[in-house]
Amino acid sequence: MRLKILAPMFFATMALTGCNSFFDSTDFSSVQEKMNYALPSSFVAKMRSNDMDKYAPITIRIFKEEGVLEIWKQKRDGTYGELEAYEICAWSGKLGPKKKEGDRQAPEGFYPLSKGLLNPYSQYFLAINTGYPNRYDRANQLTGSNLMIHGACSSRGCYSMTDEQILEIFALARDAFKGGQQAIMLQAYPFRMTADNMVRHRFNENYPFWQMLKPGYDYFEVTHKTPDVDICGGKYLFNKDPVAGASFASDQACPATVVSMSSADAQAIAEYETKYQKDFEKALKKNEGKVWIDPSEAERKALVADLREDPTDPLYQPTGSSLEAGRYVTLEEYRIAKFGPVEQPEVIDTTQTAAIENVPDVPVATGGVPIPQRSPITSAYAEQPETQEKKPFWKFW
């Protein structure tokens, strides 16, 4: 009977295997020290100068391409102000949302973080579970588990910080929950959704997904308030209320809706969008005929390979900047990089012959379209197969 009881517990625990383990620490005193870490006085002073209470709510914004994690804290007037920005030490995969277990992608989208997602026992120093998959992910049959914001600077689908950074981030989240916040909104973006950046990434296969996230990004960018986020029909919906007593269901078609924001906010958003459209057209004209190539994880790591404190340490693997490793190419270079050169048959010009009598007709010109040589960028941007690291049986999430 005892074995029957323990077996489900064992397999339930094993199901948590992933980015890091919940019960790895054997030194409870060190865990207590991390959990009770007091923020530096400079943090408290900065909050005070920005009219923020120490225990006020926070929201987290992540920008993959820049490699930045921002902490915004609510001010006494209800809007959020940026409190701190951290350089992300490591994130795996490329730009784009996580779609399936083992693809090494870090999540993109909007994720509510509850107090129960804070993990002080992580083998990666400290961790905050992103809550992936959320309702949008599940509605679209996207899979993956145990994706964190954690320390140790090593990522397999996570956003990894240094230990010093996650110590502060964890404390900021802890204090926000102490102040009564029920869920911290994580806003994870591929990049800042400016007109220039949207034009630059317009050929990316994930562009429709990013367009769907943009209204949520815009609302926070303009108002400094977190948007109301709902899921219906397998899509994100922002600042909308259903009408006629309807409700939102993530896997069912969206009902009729009305805009749910103040008239002042709606006016500000409208003005922002008008300017955005002008900027977009200007950026489109400037970058006509160009394609941005997003770098692979290996290319990003190559930028910082010489900066690692210990190249043999598997728990310290900075991945470098996607902006620095990416580049613009022409449409033709992009075609060659993606599909390879198209060989053209040799063309012989037989229309011109010798004009001298008694001389046989022979072609005097050969050539036509020359056979292009393989572009040096072809191998550089070839997709590299990804492998999921097999984790020891004793590691949980």
Side-chain angles (χ1 to χ4, degrees):
M1 177 64 73
R2 178 179 174 81
L3 207 50
K4 290 182 180 179
I5 295 174
L6 290 178
M9 294 176 61
F10 173 80
F11 287 110
T13 304
M14 290 302 295
L16 296 176
T17 301
C19 205
N20 53 109
S21 168
F22 198 91
F23 295 105
D24 271 276
S25 176
T26 56
D27 185 354
F28 187 72
S29 61
S30 68
V31 172
Q32 286 292 91
E33 290 174 4
K34 291 186 291 185
M35 292 175 64
N36 298 321
Y37 170 77
L39 288 167
S41 58
S42 59
F43 260 92
V44 179
K46 190 173 183 179
M47 293 177 197
R48 190 181 303 113
S49 65
N50 285 281
D51 200 25
M52 302 168 179
D53 185 85
K54 180 181 179 181
Y55 298 102
I58 66 169
T59 185
I60 302 173
R61 296 209 305 175
I62 286 176
F63 299 100
K64 276 185 180 178
E65 188 172 55
E66 291 184 353
V68 171
L69 183 151
E70 297 176 346
I71 300 291
W72 289 65
K73 197 167 184 67
Q74 193 176 64
K75 298 187 289 187
R76 286 184 171 84
D77 66 1
T79 63
Y80 283 79
E82 184 177 347
L83 180 63
E84 192 61 64
Y86 300 92
E87 181 179 348
I88 298 173
C89 194
W91 57 273
S92 57
K94 301 176 65 175
L95 298 187
K98 184 169 187 64
K99 296 180 179 178
K100 62 181 179 180
E101 188 82 56
D103 64 5
R104 292 186 62 82
Q105 288 294 106
E108 294 175 6
F110 293 79
Y111 294 85
L113 311 180
S114 64
K115 184 178 180 181
L117 295 179
L118 270 60
N119 177 10
Y121 300 94
S122 170
Q123 72 182 75
Y124 294 102
F125 193 68
L126 288 168
I128 304 174
N129 193 315
T130 63
Y132 183 96
N134 63 12
R135 289 191 297 124
Y136 168 86
D137 302 321
R138 292 193 296 271
N140 288 278
Q141 291 79 53
L142 307 182
T143 60
S145 57
N146 310 315
L147 303 173
M148 313 286 165
I149 300 169
H150 62 64
C153 191
S154 177
S155 173
R156 293 196 303 270
C158 298
Y159 293 107
S160 187
M161 318 301 293
T162 65
D163 291 351
E164 293 79 8
Q165 290 171 333
I166 194 62
L167 191 63
E168 291 181 351
I169 295 167
F170 194 94
L172 288 164
R174 174 204 66 203
D175 288 349
F177 287 126
K178 280 185 178 180
Q181 187 170 12
Q182 297 300 304
I184 295 170
M185 178 178 287
L186 167 62
Q187 309 174 47
Y189 301 105
F191 43 79
R192 297 183 190 276
M193 294 186 160
T194 63
D196 284 340
N197 285 343
M198 293 299 286
V199 166
R200 187 157 53 88
H201 291 285
R202 67 193 184 280
F203 293 112
N204 192 293
E205 65 179 356
N206 296 298
Y207 190 75
F209 173 76
W210 296 336
Q211 284 181 307
M212 180 177 56
L213 300 183
K214 190 174 181 300
Y217 169 88
D218 290 348
Y219 183 78
F220 185 84
E221 192 72 9
V222 173
T223 69
H224 290 177
K225 303 173 187 176
T226 55
D228 292 331
V229 182
D230 285 289
I231 312 294
C232 61
K235 297 179 180 179
Y236 279 104
L237 202 64
F238 302 98
N239 299 310
K240 297 290 181 66
D241 285 335
V243 299
S247 59
F248 294 123
S250 57
D251 58 350
Q252 297 180 19
C254 294
T257 61
V258 293
V259 175
S260 175
M261 67 176 75
S262 70
S263 57
D265 287 347
Q267 178 63 28
I269 292 293
E271 293 173 358
Y272 177 86
E273 289 302 323
T274 298
K275 183 180 184 304
Y276 170 84
Q277 289 301 326
K278 292 180 181 178
D279 291 342
F280 188 90
E281 293 299 326
K282 183 178 179 180
L284 194 61
K285 184 176 181 180
K286 177 183 177 182
N287 296 292
E288 185 177 1
K290 297 179 182 179
V291 180
W292 178 261
I293 302 294
D294 287 318
S296 67
E297 182 181 349
E299 289 167 331
R300 290 188 291 113
K301 284 183 176 180
L303 291 178
V304 294
D306 296 334
L307 302 179
R308 293 179 57 181
E309 295 177 356
D310 180 2
T312 64
D313 182 2
L315 295 184
Y316 186 78
Q317 300 181 19
T319 53
S321 168
S322 184
L323 268 175
E324 293 179 13
R327 69 185 70 182
Y328 263 126
V329 297
T330 66
L331 285 171
E332 178 61 15
E333 289 173 329
Y334 175 74
R335 183 194 63 76
I336 292 175
K338 190 172 183 65
F339 303 108
V342 177
E343 295 189 1
Q344 301 288 341
E346 184 176 356
V347 178
I348 300 177
D349 186 351
T350 58
T351 62
Q352 300 185 35
T353 57
I356 303 177
E357 189 176 357
N358 300 325
V359 176
D361 289 346
V362 295
V364 295
T366 63
V369 180
I371 299 174
Q373 299 299 311
R374 179 170 293 274
S375 167
I377 68 172
T378 302
S379 58
Y381 294 110
E383 292 292 336
Q384 300 298 321
E386 293 183 347
T387 57
Q388 183 181 12
E389 182 178 342
K390 185 175 181 182
K391 295 167 277 294
F393 75 92
W394 65 83
K395 288 186 179 180
F396 311 139
W397 75 277

